[in-house]
Amino acid sequence: MERVLGNWHVPGQAGKQELPPHKSVKKTVKHHHTIAGKSQSDLVIGMIGPRRMDPEFLSASLGNSVLGQFGMMGRIGDVVREKSGLAYYASSSLNSGTGPGSWEVNAGVNPKNLKKAISLIENELRRFVKSGVTKAELADSQTNYIGRLPLSLESNGGVASAILNIERYNLGLDYYQRYEGLVKT
């Protein structure tokens, strides 16, 4: 790729801009926006997440899977949707790129249940931070990551995406050969 396209430049195109360093949030910030006629409250609780190239990214990704992705939307979905019946959906996501991204919990709830749903989510987040994940949850998440890799490479689009990730995040050409070991460490 570098040999063929490395010297390709678009005349007049500005150079790559670096993102400014992020500032840590020192206190909780809350915003509430009412939309007339909307029958569902969509909530987002989040914070700054790691960059894709940070050493802790894969650990955070595996943790996020347990928190709000795996199975029926992880622990968040289990507590808020399945056990309490308060949400139409409830999950978490880790959005990382070349700069810091977001780590967020999203839920859609009846406006009457908003405070209770927020309380349950915040309690689950505190438990997650304090206790981490269990060995069984981690093993399940690792098995899922390793098992779905071949499926992600079955299409031309999947292969192109994998090559783009290797290049964009400087993962190394052997990244997918090392992937299982990285996930298991």
Side-chain angles (χ1 to χ4, degrees), residues 99-160:
S102 64
W103 196 344
E104 57 193 55
V105 173
N106 298 279
V109 300
N110 182 315
K112 293 183 284 189
N113 298 328
L114 185 62
K115 286 183 181 178
K116 178 68 175 167
I118 290 171
S119 176
L120 289 172
I121 290 168
E122 288 175 340
N123 287 340
E124 193 57 39
L125 291 171
R126 280 191 282 280
R127 184 171 85 91
F128 179 80
V129 169
K130 181 180 178 186
S131 304
V133 300
T134 67
K135 287 181 181 181
E137 288 173 324
L138 178 59
D140 284 347
S141 190
Q142 289 169 322
T143 300
N144 175 266
Y145 271 49
I146 293 164
R148 71 183 184 201
L149 176 63
L151 296 174
S152 72
L153 299 172
E154 284 186 339
S155 69
N156 291 340
V159 172

Side-chain angles (χ1 to χ4, degrees), residues 28-122:
T28 301
V29 178
K30 293 184 180 186
H31 296 284
H32 185 95
H33 304 281
T34 302
I35 301 173
K38 191 160 189 311
S39 60
Q40 174 177 299
S41 289
D42 293 295
L43 69 94
V44 179
I45 299 172
M47 63 177 288
I48 302 287
R51 296 176 319 128
R52 175 61 182 88
M53 289 130 350
D54 288 344
E56 68 271 11
F57 171 79
L58 193 51
S59 295
S61 184
L62 287 162
N64 179 66
S65 178
V66 171
L67 181 64
Q69 293 289 309
F70 195 64
M72 294 297 290
M73 297 173 273
R75 289 182 182 180
I76 296 290
D78 185 51
V79 167
V80 179
R81 185 174 191 274
E82 298 303 313
K83 289 181 179 167
S84 301
L86 296 179
Y88 305 109
Y89 67 89
S91 62
S92 66
S93 60
L94 181 62
N95 308 295
S96 297
T98 56
S102 64
W103 196 344
E104 57 193 55
V105 173
N106 298 279
V109 300
N110 182 315
K112 293 183 284 189
N113 298 328
L114 185 62
K115 286 183 181 178
K116 178 68 175 167
I118 290 171
S119 176
L120 289 172
I121 290 168
E122 288 175 340

